[in-house]
Amino acid sequence: MSADLEKQVNKSHKNLKQYLLFTLSIIHMTISSGQVSDSGFSILPIIHYNFVEPTPYTIRKILVYEVNGKPIQKAQAVFYSGLSIGQKITIPGAEIPKALSNLWDQSMYSDIQVYFQPNEDGTIVVIFRVEEQLRIDGHRFVNLSNAQSKKLDDETALKGSKGTYITPNIINRSKEKIVAYYQDKGYYNVKVSVLRKQATQRDKKDSLVAKVGFEVFDYIIDRGSKVKVQDIVFDGNAYFSDKQLRESIKKIIRRYHKWNILISSKYIESKFEKEKSNIINNYLSKGYRDARIIWDSIELISANRIVLHIQLFEGNLYRYRSINWKGNIKFSNGTLDTILGIRRGDVFNQTDLDEHLTANKNGYDVQSLFMNDGYLFFRMIPVEVGIFHDSIDLEIRMEEGPQTKVGVVEWKGNTKTSDRVIQREIRTRPGDVFSKSDIQRTMRDLSTLGLFDPEKMNVNPKPNAEDGTVDIEYQVTEKPSDQIELSGGWGGGGNMGNFNQGINNTPSLIGTAGISLNNFSRRKLLHRDLWNQFPSGDGQKLSLRAQSNGANFQSYNFSYGEPWFGGKKANNLSLSLNHMVNSFDFRQKSDPLHQVLTSSIVQLNCNSRLNWPDDFFSLSYGVAFNKYQMKNMDGGFYGFPKGFKGISYNPTLNLSLTRSSLSDIIFPMGGSQFIISLNATPPMSLVRNQDIDKLTIAEKYKWAEYHKWKFDAEWYTPIYKKLILMTKVRMGFLGSYNPKLGLTFFERFQVGGAGMFGYSIAATDIISQRGYDNYTISATAMGSETGAPIFNKFTIELRQAITTGQTATVYALAFLEAGEAWSSIVKYNPFQLKRAAGVGIRLFMPMFGLIGLDWAYGFDYALVPRSGKPTQIHFTIGQQF
């Protein structure tokens, strides 16, 4: 049929429809020579119209009346009719049938009548008599509790149907929503019926009367039993076994021989339809490109058990016979072959092909190769140019397009953070060649600042085909980054020293107060009008912290860091000061037997980004000077030599090489981090060339000597969505220069527990190890509370994010951990480890930092008598294990 003929036929059908509508309307037409008022209406004799020569009229008035006294919205009926006062119409004509059609299309009315009153001056009054459909006044779920009803309302949105006109479609849709809700929960045979009742309301006398035009629905639900999959039976499969195919349907496990209680056997049709695609994907990944499901069926074997039957067609195993590139100029065939990684004779794998062409998660694909070199408009289409039996000839056609340069670079969303903090992290500069990897790296660097919400960060490239440039807009959302620490209590007593005469057992105040400003601005410090609660916005870090346990312990800390010292390069310069007083008994300060250790530390450090071996590396270097003053700390306590009193100086050179590609600081979902560090003092005893044996103890240990090596490595591997596998290795070694001096009693490793047991004694590193009590692993190795010079620790942790919002990050975890401490290199045995396993939860709140709670079981607790019991509860604040 020609297009013109088809248009004529459609026009004829339309005209016929309008004629029929008009004919129906004529049945209700009444013409009166009298007056029709807004308040009155009477049916008068019918007058026949001239269909050959229709009469033209101008609409003077449009009136709407209700039928059977039901209330209606008159203005709404006039609006939907499409007619208006002053409009020219003909009777008979197309305008009135169109108005009737418009009103019926609204599904609001159960009856519509139209009448006319023509006047001698050529005007006409159009009168509609309409009866609205009944409306829904409310609904109930007859056999459900209030909680169940509310949940069903929320899931199906039936609550929002109040006031809706009642039509067969509305009733059916409501039932379908309820059925879908229960089928999604495994009630495959659910049945829903609707009982319609007259709605009621209270009148002025508080009597219950009918609410005209409204009904209430009672939904009667028969859920039946949950239907579960007893078995899944395959037919037509040869390459994959039934077991392998069942494993493809990951979210539906058959009841027959079921062992995984965490996965449901409920039959949910929508889930089954999605899971079936995994079967075909498995075949495609093995070269069976013709594989398909011919049919599937459900066999009902009981009221709540079914068997799924799936009939398969596998087809042939396909391999690549040839792969050719067409249209490439920038990169050679050899380079592209290397990136693609597919050779002649390899099994055809559509998923693998797509990944190497465009979708490699690490950016090692052909598309990224071009886009990292500015070819933003690059296009690539793989075409199967020949299929011979079980062999495929593949031709990859590409259009490189022009090389694109970066135009305007903008950023939005920073309300507190200064523009320059964002600008210095951006790697896409105006005029640079466009690079996809530079955008990805910019997003990562902005995320690791800790000032923006990683999940709400976005980038919006805006190509300009006219001048061959692309504008780039980065979108960030700030999150709270400052932290306040405030805790306190009242108590007394102690676990150190001997309770001899002179000991003070008076209860004292125990507390900690601190503030960490991670987006501090020194520039705004003296300009109060620029403050946002604090002088903030320049990405500097300022920390103040005071901790006290009465006379027993006091610590005062100050640190300041400028991440871009000098303003041109990412050189993080930091200064920290610490003063700490440790009292090891509860004697008065004036008591000559009072045991006390005082330490004062000043440290200056600089961290610089490196470009080699890659720009994920950074080098940290700095100096520190520690002064320790001991009073009555002799007698081997905490490793201090017997008879030692006085002052010990500890100047150190600190070096650290780090490579970090973590995607986030709080909850990394990918990347890794490696840190190797060296802290070393000058070998003063070798420089001074003194006879160690002739020196007093105070002179011998006046200058501390050691070299301390540490290595930390951690990897984060995404398993599924926000399920992350974290693996971590930690090692430490403390060595000496002069065998006559032996190991220093500073800078050792205290291993065991949550890592939160108070404070560091003599600058020891506190190494957590769950499943054992605080510092008990190193204490067992040393035979005393002295820290150990060597330790190893290995951790495997499976993390599942619960929420990662701005206000809080919460994740659950399960872990395996093993570690050990040794008293000397002679006793070192990396296979002799104390093992533990457990579960825990972490909560990160910007204002309070990271809070953790773990339950752990130490498998080798019998070898650590000081630990006391196999199970431990660990509570942590502000640290990761």
Side-chain angles (χ1 to χ4, degrees):
M1 182 183 293
S2 67
D4 292 340
L5 182 57
E6 185 176 358
K7 288 181 179 178
Q8 292 179 6
V9 172
N10 291 336
K11 185 176 181 181
S12 299
H13 288 170
K14 184 176 181 181
N15 291 337
L16 179 60
K17 179 181 178 182
Q18 291 178 343
Y19 177 77
L20 291 173
L21 285 169
F22 182 73
T23 302
L24 292 173
S25 69
I26 291 298
I27 298 174
H28 302 287
M29 290 182 184
T30 298
I31 300 177
S32 172
S33 58
Q35 297 297 318
V36 179
S37 67
D38 291 349
S39 59
F41 181 82
S42 61
I43 296 182
L44 297 173
I46 296 176
I47 295 178
H48 297 283
Y49 286 91
N50 188 344
F51 285 89
V52 178
E53 296 182 6
T55 305
Y57 291 99
T58 300
I59 299 178
R60 189 178 75 177
K61 186 181 292 187
I62 303 172
L63 302 177
V64 180
Y65 294 94
E66 68 275 8
V67 177
N68 297 331
K70 291 183 181 179
I72 60 171
Q73 301 181 47
K74 297 181 179 181
Q76 184 173 264
V78 174
F79 173 78
Y80 284 130
S81 73
L83 300 177
S84 59
I85 295 175
Q87 181 181 349
K88 304 292 186 182
I89 66 172
T90 57
I91 301 207
E95 295 86 3
I96 297 301
K98 178 62 176 174
L100 291 172
S101 178
N102 290 341
L103 291 172
W104 282 116
D105 286 345
Q106 305 310 312
S107 300
M108 297 167 53
Y109 307 107
S110 59
D111 186 20
I112 304 173
Q113 302 171 20
V114 62
Y115 299 86
F116 306 116
Q117 180 185 331
N119 300 293
E120 294 178 356
D121 59 359
T123 61
I124 194 169
V125 177
V126 180
I127 307 162
F128 291 105
R129 295 191 70 199
V130 297
E131 181 178 5
E132 284 192 347
Q133 298 274 20
L134 295 172
R135 298 193 194 194
I136 301 174
D137 189 55
H139 65 268
R140 297 184 308 161
F141 302 107
V142 175
N143 46 357
L144 298 184
S145 66
N146 290 337
Q148 291 173 327
S149 297
K150 184 179 184 307
K151 188 173 182 180
L152 183 54
D153 265 334
D154 293 340
E155 294 285 338
T156 59
L158 290 178
K159 203 169 188 177
S161 63
K162 184 175 181 179
T164 304
Y165 290 101
I166 301 172
T167 64
N169 184 46
I170 288 293
I171 297 173
N172 291 335
R173 281 173 50 198
S174 299
K175 291 168 66 176
E176 287 170 0
K177 287 180 179 181
I178 298 172
V179 168
Y181 172 82
Y182 280 103
Q183 285 187 345
D184 195 47
K185 298 184 179 303
Y187 296 97
Y188 187 67
N189 297 319
V190 61
K191 296 179 181 178
V192 180
S193 58
V194 179
L195 180 61
R196 300 170 59 173
K197 294 181 178 181
Q198 172 65 54
T200 58
Q201 61 183 357
R202 296 283 179 180
D203 62 9
K204 294 181 180 180
K205 297 180 180 180
D206 201 29
S207 300
L208 204 60
V209 296
K211 189 174 182 180
V212 179
F214 288 87
E215 287 187 345
V216 175
F217 284 5
D218 281 354
Y219 292 105
I220 303 170
I221 303 170
D222 180 10
R223 297 184 307 178
S225 301
K226 283 188 178 181
V227 175
K228 298 189 177 182
V229 178
Q230 180 66 17
D231 202 356
I232 305 175
V233 178
F234 296 91
D235 193 16
N237 54 307
Y239 181 81
F240 284 114
S241 67
D242 286 10
K243 179 181 179 181
Q244 290 173 314
L245 292 174
R246 280 193 292 268
E247 290 174 352
S248 301
I249 308 178
K250 299 176 182 179
K251 295 185 179 179
I252 299 179
I253 299 296
R254 61 175 185 165
R255 293 284 300 174
Y256 182 67
H257 287 174
K258 178 181 177 180
W259 60 270
N260 190 343
I261 61 173
L262 299 179
I263 302 180
S264 173
S265 296
K266 294 183 296 186
Y267 176 71
I268 301 172
E269 185 176 9
S270 59
K271 185 184 293 185
F272 177 61
E273 290 298 322
K274 291 179 182 179
E275 291 295 301
K276 284 193 299 185
S277 63
N278 293 333
I279 299 173
I280 303 304
N281 289 338
N282 271 359
Y283 274 104
L284 292 177
S285 68
K286 299 301 181 181
Y288 289 88
R289 64 189 302 275
D290 295 331
R292 63 183 183 272
I293 295 175
I294 300 175
W295 53 260
D296 60 84
S297 64
I298 299 173
E299 179 188 358
L300 187 65
I301 60 175
S302 69
N304 60 353
R305 292 289 186 273
I306 62 171
V307 175
L308 297 176
H309 294 271
I310 300 176
Q311 180 69 41
L312 294 164
F313 173 76
E314 291 185 331
N316 295 327
L317 174 65
Y318 285 82
R319 297 180 183 274
Y320 293 101
R321 190 172 73 166
S322 65
I323 302 175
N324 297 308
W325 304 90
K326 187 176 181 180
N328 54 304
I329 300 173
K330 176 66 179 179
F331 297 102
S332 66
N333 291 352
T335 300
L336 298 178
D337 286 338
T338 301
I339 298 294
L340 186 64
I342 300 175
R343 300 290 181 265
R344 173 186 173 92
D346 287 354
V347 170
F348 174 83
N349 184 333
Q350 186 66 54
T351 303
D352 188 58
L353 177 65
D354 293 341
E355 180 179 342
H356 285 87
L357 287 177
T358 62
N360 185 274
K361 63 181 180 180
N362 296 319
Y364 192 75
D365 54 60
V366 175
Q367 185 182 62
S368 296
L369 180 68
F370 280 89
M371 294 191 72
N372 288 339
D373 201 31
Y375 293 92
L376 177 63
F377 302 102
F378 168 78
R379 293 178 59 195
M380 176 173 52
I381 304 174
V383 179
E384 296 175 3
V385 294
I387 300 176
F388 302 91
H389 302 295
D390 59 355
S391 299
I392 297 175
D393 292 332
L394 186 68
E395 184 175 273
I396 303 174
R397 301 170 183 172
M398 54 184 65
E399 296 178 15
E400 293 181 349
Q403 194 177 46
T404 307
K405 291 190 176 181
V406 177
V408 177
V409 180
E410 299 176 308
W411 48 90
K412 293 182 178 179
N414 55 311
T415 56
K416 182 171 70 172
T417 303
S418 301
D419 286 345
R420 62 180 182 175
V421 173
I422 299 177
Q423 183 178 11
R424 65 196 185 193
E425 300 295 339
I426 290 178
R427 295 173 181 254
T428 52
R429 305 285 180 176
D432 289 351
V433 173
F434 174 82
S435 173
K436 177 183 174 182
S437 62
D438 284 347
I439 291 179
Q440 293 172 332
R441 183 60 189 274
T442 297
M443 297 293 284
R444 176 202 169 271
D445 290 347
L446 289 173
S447 173
T448 54
L449 289 176
L451 306 178
F452 307 110
D453 187 344
E455 291 193 346
K456 295 185 178 179
M457 291 175 60
N458 199 5
V459 61
N460 183 22
K462 302 175 182 178
N464 305 308
E466 297 81 7
D467 58 3
T469 63
V470 56
D471 298 337
I472 302 174
E473 180 185 271
Y474 295 96
Q475 298 170 351
V476 298
T477 300
E478 290 192 295
K479 67 177 183 179
S481 58
D482 300 326
Q483 298 178 19
I484 295 176
E485 182 180 3
L486 188 63
S487 61
W490 183 261
N495 56 5
M496 300 180 186
N498 298 315
F499 292 93
N500 298 325
Q501 291 181 355
I503 293 177
N504 179 11
N505 287 308
T506 304
S508 59
L509 179 66
I510 305 170
T512 300
I515 183 171
S516 296
L517 304 178
N518 295 311
N519 196 6
F520 181 70
S521 175
R522 176 178 52 83
R523 175 175 57 91
K524 300 178 183 179
L525 186 60
L526 300 179
H527 302 278
R528 183 66 180 82
D529 56 319
L530 300 178
W531 289 22
N532 184 357
Q533 295 181 334
F534 302 104
S536 60
D538 286 346
Q540 298 154 5
K541 299 183 185 299
L542 177 68
S543 176
L544 299 168
R545 190 171 186 266
Q547 186 176 7
S548 173
N549 190 9
N552 188 38
F553 170 74
Q554 296 153 40
S555 175
Y556 308 95
N557 299 273
F558 165 84
S559 67
Y560 171 78
E562 167 56 73
W564 282 69
F565 181 69
K568 295 182 179 180
K569 293 184 178 180
N571 297 319
N572 188 344
L573 185 69
S574 61
L575 172 68
S576 61
L577 306 172
N578 173 264
H579 179 73
M580 183 166 57
V581 179
N582 293 290
S583 297
F584 292 89
D585 57 27
F586 287 85
R587 294 182 173 89
Q588 299 287 350
K589 289 184 179 181
S590 58
D591 193 322
L593 299 179
H594 182 45
Q595 292 180 317
V596 62
L597 167 66
T598 304
S599 66
S600 299
I601 304 171
V602 57
Q603 184 169 349
L604 184 65
N605 196 70
C606 184
N607 186 291
S608 300
R609 292 183 187 175
L610 304 179
N611 294 321
W612 186 90
D614 62 37
D615 57 4
F616 287 107
F617 279 86
S618 63
L619 177 65
S620 177
Y621 47 93
V623 293
F625 189 84
N626 304 356
K627 176 186 175 182
Y628 297 96
Q629 187 168 1
M630 276 72 63
K631 181 181 178 183
N632 297 320
M633 293 299 296
D634 57 345
F637 193 65
Y638 264 88
F640 294 109
K642 187 174 183 179
F644 175 69
K645 297 180 181 179
I647 296 175
S648 181
Y649 297 107
N650 186 343
T652 59
L653 173 67
N654 306 317
L655 294 173
S656 176
L657 182 65
T658 302
R659 185 186 188 277
S660 177
S661 61
L662 299 181
S663 61
D664 186 36
I665 299 175
I666 305 303
F667 187 77
M669 297 182 65
S672 59
Q673 180 170 276
F674 303 89
I675 304 174
I676 183 169
S677 64
L678 167 64
N679 297 353
T681 64
M684 300 298 293
S685 64
L686 300 180
V687 173
R688 289 184 297 176
N689 195 25
Q690 295 175 312
D691 188 349
I692 301 298
D693 296 332
K694 294 182 179 180
L695 297 176
T696 64
I697 293 180
E699 293 173 330
K700 186 185 295 186
Y701 295 108
K702 184 175 181 180
W703 295 91
E705 292 187 12
Y706 64 87
H707 52 94
K708 184 176 183 179
W709 303 80
K710 293 189 290 185
F711 174 74
D712 288 359
E714 53 190 297
W715 298 264
Y716 294 85
T717 306
I719 304 299
Y720 179 73
K721 293 185 178 179
K722 293 185 179 181
L723 180 64
I724 308 298
L725 178 66
M726 188 276 285
T727 51
K728 189 170 186 177
V729 177
R730 298 191 69 186
M731 300 178 182
F733 172 75
L734 181 67
S736 63
Y737 301 116
N738 195 327
K740 291 186 178 181
L741 285 178
L743 284 173
T744 179
F745 38 85
F746 297 109
E747 300 286 345
R748 298 195 180 191
F749 303 103
Q750 297 274 20
V751 184
M756 293 295 295
F757 44 91
Y759 39 83
S760 168
I761 305 299
T764 55
D765 277 4
I766 300 175
I767 309 299
S768 64
Q769 180 157 347
R770 291 164 286 191
Y772 301 89
D773 207 352
N774 295 336
Y775 57 74
T776 54
I777 291 180
S778 56
T780 300
M782 301 300 295
S784 67
E785 294 175 342
T786 306
I790 306 172
F791 88 94
N792 281 2
K793 194 181 86 165
F794 305 90
T795 303
I796 297 177
E797 199 167 271
L798 196 62
R799 300 177 173 183
Q800 174 61 58
I802 299 172
T803 179
T804 53
Q806 281 193 37
T807 56
T809 296
V810 182
Y811 62 90
L813 58 89
F815 65 87
L816 297 173
E817 203 160 73
E820 181 60 290
W822 294 272
S823 59
S824 67
I825 193 67
V826 177
K827 296 183 179 181
Y828 177 72
N829 182 354
F831 302 102
Q832 175 194 326
L833 302 172
K834 304 298 189 295
R835 302 159 300 164
V839 294
I841 193 165
R842 295 290 182 275
L843 166 64
F844 177 83
M845 299 181 68
M847 292 294 291
F848 300 101
L850 188 69
I851 302 172
L853 184 66
D854 294 275
W855 175 91
Y857 183 89
F859 296 104
D860 301 301
Y861 74 96
L863 302 177
V864 187
R866 294 170 179 262
S867 191
K869 57 184 179 180
T871 59
Q872 300 282 339
I873 300 293
H874 302 292
F875 178 73
T876 61
I877 298 179
Q879 70 164 21
Q880 299 268 17
F881 279 102

